[in-house]
């Protein structure tokens, strides 16, 4: 390790915060690759008597450094809180599981009894969950109350592994007379989807002690939402439910509303950007009206709720003395509806606190991962430029994916229609004017994804052709669209009209 690096490390460690049983290296930007790199960190861990909390977030820890840090932790039996988010910056995904295994084994060896484990913002994927699976099943986690795994890229596979580990932890801890009593669970932005959410719902139903669940932006549709709703009903202590930016639809919203009727401790409901629509909103309003006297916040923003349903929601909060915020921003109220909403809230003396507030900004990655008309509009006037800039147009598949995501939110409403057209134009103009872009490969891949060409690979076709057809109709009229591709689309015109699959092998395209 170079002398200047050692000096920099020493300066960073001088800022280390110590107190209340906590040793913090938070935000030090330490690059701990080798055992030598970690010497000062190890020294402080060893010398800290009564270590109860260790903060390593905002650093980057390699496999070798993790091993020696783990060795130092083997004698820290009083450790209760591991704040280990964002501690693998720049690491290969393959490095993270062995590092986590070393640290987890150390906690087991030490006989620690954890209360909080935070591994958020570590992009370890499904394999990374294997890295702390043994820890979750061990006595070190029988006492766990808070598990935070936000933005870890677990996916469906990781969600299933995690669910199985939690169930095993509950089984083993119950056998010892002290069942796992998890209170806070955080796993937003993990692409859990229906299968991952359903697996976790089964674990939640067994645990039964949850007070807060945060699972926003996971691509969960109504089957997964319904499974979660059924699990939440068996967790009577629930105070906070945050499922923002998943897709309830009416089915999921109605199921969740039935569960809300059985919960008495709810303080925060965040179903913003969840497409609950009017029927779902009315069902939720009924649940709110019947009970939920401790409710402090209700977020139903950007849910495609129409005026009458939104007013029903507002009327349902009349006797909620604890309510601090009602968010109905981004719904279909119209000017008259907004005025009526304001009147209702003013009648409750709540208008100042409960008028719709702006939702947080959306980035391109979030829109492309979970597209919706509202997100596209919330990207702002530069949405077309941003998406074009952040899409690698040298990769045909990435262009096709981006185009399909953009077109999927098409609506025959001026703001959305304009945004879709402008964004499509910016993206496709950039692609088609690039000397390296393969137009033939693009149109072939697009038709495969539309379900109009059969592929040797298993590719799931888009569920609806409406958006992409309307977008293609716009594209072919633009000056950037290659005239050579027009005959190909014309050959599939009948398939478009009938919305049927045209089982033509892809090599036939060259003959059209």
């Amino acid at each position: 390790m170079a002398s200047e690096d050692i000096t920099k490390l020493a300066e960073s460690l001088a800022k280390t915060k110590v107190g209340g049983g906590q040793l913090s290296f938070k935000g030090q930007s330490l690059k701990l690759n080798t055992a030598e790199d970690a010497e000062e960190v190890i020294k402080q861990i060893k010398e800290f008597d009564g270590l109860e909390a260790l903060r390593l977030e905002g650093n980057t820890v390699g496999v070798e450094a993790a091993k020696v840090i783990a060795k130092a932790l083997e004698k820290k039996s009083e450790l209760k809180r591991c704040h280990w988010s964002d501690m693998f910056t720049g690491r290969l995904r393959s490095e993270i599981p062995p590092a986590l295994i070393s640290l987890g084994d150390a906690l087991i060896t030490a006989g620690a009894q954890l209360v909080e484990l935070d591994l958020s913002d570590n992009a370890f994927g499904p394999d990374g969950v294997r890295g702390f699976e043994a820890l979750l099943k061990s006595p070190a986690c029988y006492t766990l109350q808070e598990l935070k795994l936000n933005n870890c890229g677990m996916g469906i596979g990781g969600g299933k592994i995690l669910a199985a580990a939690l169930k095993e932890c509950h089984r083993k801890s119950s056998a010892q007379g002290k069942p796992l009593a998890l209170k806070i669970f955080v796993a937003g932005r993990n692409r859990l989807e229906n299968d991952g959410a359903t697996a976790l719902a089964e674990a939640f139903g067994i645990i039964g002690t949850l007070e807060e669940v945060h699972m926003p932006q996971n691509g969960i549709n109504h089957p997964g939402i319904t499974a979660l709703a059924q699990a939440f009903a068996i967790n009577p202590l629930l105070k906070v439910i945050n499922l923002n930016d998943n897709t309830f639809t009416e089915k999921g919203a109605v199921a969740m509303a039935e569960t809300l009727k059985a919960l008495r401790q709810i303080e925060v409901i965040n179903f913003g950007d969840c497409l609950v629509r009017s029927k779902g909103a009315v069902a939720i309003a009924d649940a709110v009206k019947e009970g939920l006297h401790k409710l402090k916040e209700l977020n139903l923003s950007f849910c495609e709720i129409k005026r009458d349903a939104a007013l029903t929601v507002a009327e349902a909060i009349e006797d909620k003395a604890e309510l601090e915020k009602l968010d109905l921003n981004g719904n279909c109220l119209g000017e008259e509806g907004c005025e009526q909403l304001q009147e209702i809230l003013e009648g409750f003396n709540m208008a100042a606190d409960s008028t719709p507030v702006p939702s947080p900004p959306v980035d391109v990655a979030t829109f492309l991962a979970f597209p919706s008309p509202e997100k596209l509009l919330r990207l702002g006037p530069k949405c077309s430029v941003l998406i074009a800039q952040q899409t690698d147009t040298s990769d045909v598949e990435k262009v096709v994916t981006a185009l399909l995501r953009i077109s999927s939110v098409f609506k025959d409403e001026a703001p959305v229609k304009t945004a879709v057209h402008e964004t499509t134009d910016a993206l496709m103009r950039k692609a088609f004017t690039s000397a390296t872009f393969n137009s033939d490969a693009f149109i072939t891949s697009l038709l495969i994804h539309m379900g109009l060409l059969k592929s040797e690979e298993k590719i799931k076709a888009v569920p609806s052709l409406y958006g992409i057809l309307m977008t293609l109709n716009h594209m072919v009229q633009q000056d950037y669209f290659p005239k050579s591709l027009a005959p190909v689309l014309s050959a599939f015109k009948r398939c478009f009209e009938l919305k049927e699959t045209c089982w033509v092998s892809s090599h036939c395209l060259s003959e059209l």
Side-chain angles (χ1 to χ4, degrees), residues 157-227:
K160 289 182 176 180
I161 297 167
L162 175 62
L166 288 172
K167 288 191 289 185
E168 182 70 0
C169 180
H170 187 271
R171 185 188 69 79
K172 288 183 175 179
S173 58
S174 296
Q176 293 194 5
K178 293 184 178 180
L180 171 68
L182 191 66
K183 294 181 179 180
I184 297 175
F185 180 82
V186 181
R189 300 190 72 173
N190 272 291
R191 296 202 67 86
L192 295 170
E193 301 183 17
N194 289 330
D195 289 348
T198 300
L200 285 167
E202 186 178 339
F204 296 162
I206 292 171
I207 293 169
T209 56
L210 289 167
E211 295 181 11
E212 295 186 21
V213 175
H214 303 263
M215 297 174 64
Q217 291 187 10
N218 270 298
I220 308 170
N221 299 323
H222 73 83
I225 296 298
T226 300

Side-chain angles (χ1 to χ4, degrees), residues 58-366:
N59 299 291
T60 178
V61 181
V63 176
E64 294 306 313
K67 286 180 181 178
V68 292
I69 291 173
K71 194 69 178 175
L73 291 174
E74 287 182 356
K75 296 182 180 179
K76 299 299 176 180
S77 60
E78 297 178 21
L79 187 62
K80 293 180 174 61
R81 298 184 182 275
C82 297
H83 302 279
W84 293 351
S85 64
D86 189 24
M87 59 177 273
F88 297 110
T89 303
R91 299 291 168 185
L92 295 175
R93 182 174 287 187
S94 59
E95 294 181 82
I96 301 176
L100 288 174
I101 289 171
S102 295
L103 293 167
D105 287 348
L107 298 178
I108 297 170
T109 301
Q113 294 185 314
L114 295 184
V115 172
E116 180 179 359
L117 177 61
D118 186 355
L119 293 170
S120 299
D121 300 315
N122 290 309
F124 46 59
D127 292 339
V129 185
R130 294 286 188 196
F132 59 93
E133 179 185 15
L135 173 63
L136 281 180
K137 294 179 179 179
S138 77
C141 284
Y142 291 178
T143 51
L144 195 64
Q145 295 180 15
E146 301 180 29
L147 179 58
K148 300 174 181 178
L149 301 166
N150 200 59
N151 192 31
C152 291
M154 290 190 292
I156 295 172
K160 289 182 176 180
I161 297 167
L162 175 62
L166 288 172
K167 288 191 289 185
E168 182 70 0
C169 180
H170 187 271
R171 185 188 69 79
K172 288 183 175 179
S173 58
S174 296
Q176 293 194 5
K178 293 184 178 180
L180 171 68
L182 191 66
K183 294 181 179 180
I184 297 175
F185 180 82
V186 181
R189 300 190 72 173
N190 272 291
R191 296 202 67 86
L192 295 170
E193 301 183 17
N194 289 330
D195 289 348
T198 300
L200 285 167
E202 186 178 339
F204 296 162
I206 292 171
I207 293 169
T209 56
L210 289 167
E211 295 181 11
E212 295 186 21
V213 175
H214 303 263
M215 297 174 64
Q217 291 187 10
N218 270 298
I220 308 170
N221 299 323
H222 73 83
I225 296 298
T226 300
L228 287 172
Q230 293 168 350
F232 292 165
I234 314 172
N235 285 265
L237 302 177
L238 266 173
K239 296 178 181 178
V240 178
I241 302 177
N242 176 6
L243 294 174
N244 187 285
D245 203 1
N246 289 291
T247 307
F248 283 42
T249 67
E250 293 93 336
K251 290 182 180 179
V254 169
M256 193 61 69
E258 285 302 308
T259 285
L260 291 175
K261 292 178 181 179
L263 299 176
R264 293 289 177 264
Q265 307 300 320
I266 289 290
E267 296 178 2
V268 177
I269 298 172
N270 187 344
F271 297 159
D273 214 350
C274 283
L275 205 67
V276 304
R277 296 195 173 114
S278 294
K279 183 178 178 181
V282 170
I284 292 169
D286 288 343
V288 170
K289 191 171 185 176
E290 287 184 20
L292 306 187
H293 296 294
K294 296 184 179 181
L295 188 64
K296 294 180 179 179
E297 180 179 334
L298 175 59
N299 184 346
L300 293 175
S301 61
F302 295 94
C303 281
E304 293 193 4
I305 302 170
K306 295 183 179 178
R307 182 187 64 182
D308 289 349
L311 297 179
T312 300
V313 172
E315 290 167 351
I317 65 170
E318 180 177 4
D319 63 344
K320 308 306 169 192
E322 302 294 320
L323 193 71
E324 298 171 358
K325 186 172 83 170
L326 169 65
D327 192 346
L328 290 169
N329 191 44
N331 286 299
C332 313
L333 277 69
E335 187 175 344
E336 183 181 348
C338 288
E339 291 175 357
Q340 290 177 301
L341 176 63
Q342 189 75 10
E343 288 176 6
I344 292 173
L345 297 177
E346 285 175 351
F348 301 157
N349 293 319
M350 296 179 63
D353 293 328
S354 302
T355 46
V357 296
S359 292
V362 172
D363 57 24
V364 170
T366 299

Side-chain angles (χ1 to χ4, degrees), residues 456-469:
E456 294 177 2
E457 299 178 10
K458 213 169 185 180
I459 294 177
K460 188 177 180 181
V462 294
S464 171
L465 293 181
Y466 174 72
I468 186 60
L469 289 178

